[in-house]
Amino acid sequence: MNSIETISGPNDLVYMGLPHERYLRPKFWISLSLSLPVFFIAMGTMAAPMWFHQFNADVLNWTQLVLTTPIFFWCGAPFIRRWWVSLRTLDTNMFTLTVTGTGAAYFYSMFAVLYGDNFPPALRGGHGAPLYFEATAFITTVVLLGQIIEQRAHGRTDAAIRALMELAPKIAHRLDPQGSEIDVPLDEVQVGDQLRVRPGEHVPVDGTVDAGSSDLDESMLTGEPEVVAKREGDKVSAGTLNTTGSFVFTAARVGKDTLLAKIVRLVEEAQDSEAPIARLADRVSAWFVPIVAVIAVFTFGGWFLFGPEPAFLHGMLNAVAVLIIACPCALGLATPVSLVTGIGRGAQAGVLVKDAAALEMLAHADTLLIDKTGTLTAGKPQVVGIHPHSNLFSFSFSSSFSSTEDALLALAAAAETSSEHPLARALVQAAQERALKILPSSDFNAEAGHGISAQVDGHTIFVGRAPAGAKTQMTTATLVMVQVDGQEIGTIELADKIKASTPDAIRALQALGLRVVMVSGDREAAAKAIAEKLGLDGYHAGITPEGKQKLVREHQAKRESVVFAGDGINDAPALAAADVGVAMGTGTDVAMHSAGLVLVKGDLVAMVRAVKLSRATLNNIKQNLFFAFIYNGLGLPLAAGLLYPFTGWLLNPMFAGAAMSLSSISVVSNALRLRRVQL
């Protein structure tokens, strides 16, 4: 179940091409300890020149050189490697500018220490050529700190998932055929094993309760704090907490197949996906870095040709300031940090984001098409009416049942035995509850959206959608027709309860500005009755799986941004075609594979959370982009010295580095607010 990768060595690149933050931390502390005396010397000579001038200038200069060299070459080594890769691959990024700027400051200062006496008098002050080792040391230290903060933010995204994985117990209590209990390691549990869970323990794997009952805390899977009662026949999931009683269950999914492990994989895959808005930052960065390099060249040239003496020194320092303050690290972080943080928050709330693009697009959606069965309703229909026709007596199998109702139900159940559809399960369950004999079937064939056929007792049995004009006792009931060798022999009514949370969730979604429309394969009268009862904005009845996909296309043709929510195999085409496909976690694997988002509990309350999460994440990204652009936009003219003729202001490269790092820290801090957003 350990699908989360671990860091095994310092050469493992985990984020933005850099090693893990635990390998950056020692570099940061050494860089900080060496930078402080460099900073003290550099600032001291300006703040208290009379006191510092009693020291030998050469000793102070060489001290700065000796202290700054390991900062630049060892502490900043990860940045230099990324700088070289960016030049070699022509893929400019934040490190292209950072290392170019700090390198220019370092090599100029080193040259000034070694050959400063040979500089023209205009480039030397009263105590030699100015040095800017503090800019190299300070900027490298601050960028290291920024990268550590960013990597921690990135790592926190799946912290909740890692905590979930740790909830699975290391030991399971397995029962042998004689009923004796043996403690075995979790990885030895196999499908079909009977396991016992005691009060206060976590469920080790997915399965179905065989004996006993209890209340389980499923909040880590669903995001909802209430406990859920579990009785014989109910499903339990790995990682959930048994709060009261003891029960025995049969393992159904183990290891990487459990719901918990699937959640982890979905979140990890989502973190690797890219939202459309992220491509904006990518495009801007691709142009931004070369443009800044050109601005730096023109800045140097302008100061060198037209600036005051020492013109060369002014040009070089302002060019370095341009390169540093324009570092697009905040721009590169603006989208991914918000996305991965939002994905992690969604996982805590029972909203699994498989595709980052789906999370972004959900914020713009205006139409929600919802499949009825298993989405609006509980997905557990029950037989409420059986209506055999008189011609049923002409078939020999009817004589073995006490009534024609029993015969009709048993025949339908026999044909539906191999089907996974909720209506099929309801027919089989109803027959079992009446203790009816279910005849063996063969040649099962399902035609999605129409019905199924099978061979039973030498006859071809068809169970499918009833004719449009068929009468029912319940307006909201679903009516199926049963045929034998092409002859209709009766109809069966099935009713599915609307989920208790559905009405409030519908109203909340409408309050968020979504137009909620039901899509059902059911007959017109039943669909209309449910739509009116729930106060929906519309409905579509009698829709086939192919029709659902076509319906999505029709709404999209009206320039609507469409979300489709469903849980069955027959919903997969529509889920894939929609702008955002949302699958119920209680549905089929095919549906979840086709969707961009998965609601773990399969409840529309989680849909409300998903919409709120998407909008909060998108707003957060826009705020981050503003932070990134405002720092660069305001800083570039000042760094280039455009305000110098009017105000006399110039930007020291050291303060340019601080402003650049502050923009990154602002972006990360803002993104981390998503961890606490109320859904």
Side-chain angles (χ1 to χ4, degrees):
M1 293 177 61
N2 295 323
S3 64
I4 297 177
E5 295 181 1
T6 58
I7 305 303
S8 58
N11 294 323
D12 293 321
L13 305 182
V14 296
Y15 182 54
M16 295 189 72
L18 297 178
H20 194 273
E21 58 99 4
R22 71 163 165 250
Y23 298 107
L24 296 179
R25 281 200 304 268
K27 293 180 180 293
F28 164 73
W29 289 114
I30 292 175
S31 182
L32 178 63
S33 62
L34 296 178
S35 295
L36 290 177
V38 173
F39 182 79
F40 179 72
I41 294 172
M43 295 298 101
T45 54
M46 291 188 292
M50 296 302 297
W51 187 81
F52 269 88
H53 287 170
Q54 63 182 307
F55 297 100
N56 185 286
D58 289 337
V59 172
L60 294 178
N61 293 344
W62 276 97
T63 299
Q64 293 184 72
L65 173 59
V66 170
L67 293 176
T68 305
T69 298
I71 295 175
F72 181 71
F73 287 103
W74 187 77
C75 299
F79 307 146
I80 296 175
R81 283 194 291 269
R82 290 290 290 116
W83 170 82
W84 173 246
V85 170
S86 71
L87 295 182
R88 186 163 47 84
T89 60
L90 299 180
D91 180 19
T92 54
N93 53 54
M94 58 172 286
F95 301 107
T96 311
L97 290 180
T98 301
V99 176
T100 300
T102 57
Y106 172 80
F107 286 107
Y108 158 78
S109 300
M110 181 185 69
F111 192 77
V113 170
L114 296 175
Y115 305 106
D117 293 340
N118 298 322
F119 279 23
L123 295 183
R124 288 185 285 120
H127 300 281
L131 305 181
Y132 293 93
F133 287 119
E134 81 281 1
T136 298
F138 183 80
I139 291 166
T140 301
T141 303
V142 173
V143 173
L144 274 168
L145 176 61
Q147 290 303 308
I148 290 172
I149 293 173
E150 291 157 15
Q151 289 211 15
R152 285 183 176 177
H154 187 78
R156 286 192 190 106
T157 305
D158 60 8
I161 301 303
R162 293 177 186 270
L164 276 176
M165 296 299 295
E166 292 173 359
L167 287 177
K170 307 300 182 188
I171 299 295
H173 311 305
R174 185 167 62 190
L175 302 181
D176 62 19
Q178 290 73 39
S180 299
E181 190 175 299
I182 306 172
D183 287 350
V184 298
L186 184 61
D187 55 8
E188 291 185 11
V189 176
Q190 298 180 356
V191 174
D193 284 350
Q194 279 200 318
L195 308 172
R196 185 188 304 279
V197 182
R198 303 189 183 104
E201 295 182 337
H202 289 91
V203 179
V205 296
D206 296 355
T208 304
V209 177
D210 293 329
S213 61
S214 184
D215 293 331
L216 265 61
D217 180 356
E218 296 185 333
S219 59
M220 291 301 289
L221 288 178
T222 65
E224 297 181 9
E226 72 270 11
V227 296
V228 180
K230 297 293 182 180
R231 303 294 182 266
E232 185 176 338
D234 290 339
K235 298 183 183 300
V236 294
S237 298
T240 53
L241 177 64
N242 182 27
T243 62
T244 54
S246 174
F247 62 90
V248 175
F249 75 102
T250 299
R253 291 194 295 260
V254 301
K256 60 183 177 60
D257 296 324
T258 64
L259 176 60
L260 196 58
K262 289 181 180 179
I263 290 174
V264 175
R265 287 199 299 274
L266 291 176
V267 175
E268 289 177 334
E269 290 169 4
Q271 291 179 0
D272 293 333
S273 62
E274 184 180 47
I277 197 170
R279 291 190 284 273
L280 170 63
D282 292 340
R283 289 194 297 268
V284 172
S285 295
W287 285 96
F288 187 71
V289 174
I291 289 174
V292 168
V294 171
I295 292 175
V297 171
F298 275 96
T299 297
F300 174 80
W303 277 94
F304 184 73
L305 295 175
F306 307 109
E309 293 297 335
F312 175 86
L313 183 61
H314 279 114
M316 191 278 295
L317 292 179
N318 283 285
V320 170
V322 166
L323 292 172
I324 293 171
I325 201 168
C327 173
C329 50
L331 181 62
L333 289 170
T335 299
V337 172
S338 292
L339 282 175
V340 296
T341 306
I343 290 168
R345 179 66 183 95
Q348 291 177 315
V351 179
L352 301 184
V353 181
K354 290 178 57 184
D355 184 2
L359 183 64
E360 178 189 336
M361 296 174 70
L362 182 60
H364 302 297
D366 50 37
T367 301
L368 174 60
L369 302 181
I370 306 181
D371 177 60
K372 184 192 77 172
T373 304
T375 308
L376 295 175
T377 63
K380 297 180 179 179
Q382 296 178 333
V383 174
V384 295
I386 303 174
H387 311 290
H389 295 176
S390 58
N391 62 345
L392 183 60
F393 291 107
S394 62
F395 295 95
S396 58
F397 52 77
S398 62
S399 60
S400 59
F401 295 93
S402 59
S403 69
T404 52
E405 287 187 7
D406 286 350
L408 179 62
L409 178 60
L411 192 64
E416 293 277 19
T417 301
S418 301
S419 176
E420 87 297 334
H421 196 280
L423 295 180
R425 293 197 294 269
L427 292 171
V428 174
Q429 182 177 353
Q432 292 172 340
E433 290 174 351
R434 295 192 182 198
L436 302 179
K437 179 183 179 182
I438 300 179
L439 299 171
S441 62
S442 61
D443 298 333
F444 175 83
N445 182 54
E447 186 177 350
H450 297 283
I452 62 95
S453 63
Q455 292 294 315
V456 179
D457 196 31
H459 299 277
T460 300
I461 310 302
F462 174 81
V463 183
R465 185 182 301 171
K471 303 296 182 182
T472 61
Q473 295 178 350
M474 290 181 61
T475 308
T476 58
T478 298
L479 193 65
V480 298
M481 170 187 64
V482 183
Q483 292 181 343
V484 177
D485 297 332
Q487 297 183 46
E488 183 178 337
I489 62 170
T491 56
I492 301 176
E493 287 183 85
L494 300 101
D496 193 2
K497 291 182 179 179
I498 294 174
K499 292 179 181 178
S501 59
T502 294
D504 289 341
I506 294 294
R507 287 191 289 271
L509 289 167
Q510 291 171 330
L512 289 170
L514 287 169
R515 181 170 172 264
V516 185
V517 179
M518 182 182 71
V519 180
S520 174
D522 214 340
R523 56 198 178 87
E524 175 78 17
K528 181 179 180 181
I530 292 177
E532 291 177 348
K533 184 175 181 178
L534 292 174
L536 300 178
D537 298 299
Y539 69 92
H540 299 280
I543 305 298
T544 64
E546 297 81 6
K548 290 179 181 179
Q549 187 183 49
K550 182 180 178 181
L551 192 63
V552 169
R553 301 294 190 197
E554 290 175 356
H555 279 272
Q556 290 171 330
K558 299 175 185 177
R559 298 185 180 278
E560 297 177 14
S561 180
V562 179
V563 180
F564 188 93
D567 72 333
I569 291 176
N570 58 0
D571 295 323
L575 288 168
D579 296 295
V580 181
V582 180
M584 302 295 124
T586 52
T588 63
D589 289 341
V590 175
M592 287 187 276
H593 179 73
S594 303
L597 278 77
V598 177
L599 308 182
V600 174
K601 194 177 179 182
D603 196 308
L604 279 185
V605 173
M607 174 67 80
V608 178
R609 294 196 198 106
V611 174
K612 291 181 178 179
L613 175 67
S614 68
R615 294 181 180 179
T617 303
L618 191 62
N619 287 336
N620 195 272
I621 291 173
K622 291 178 179 178
Q623 293 164 4
N624 285 348
L625 289 173
F626 171 78
F627 283 134
F629 281 117
I630 197 67
Y631 277 102
N632 293 139
L634 295 178
L636 270 175
L638 182 60
L642 294 182
L643 301 182
Y644 180 78
F646 311 102
T647 64
W649 292 351
L650 287 176
L651 189 64
N652 188 294
M654 181 180 65
F655 294 108
M660 175 271 295
S661 296
L662 182 61
S663 67
S664 297
I665 293 172
S666 299
V667 165
V668 172
S669 301
N670 186 56
L672 290 180
R673 294 191 306 111
L674 285 173
R675 298 173 62 204
R676 299 182 298 274
V677 68
Q678 294 298 314
L679 302 179

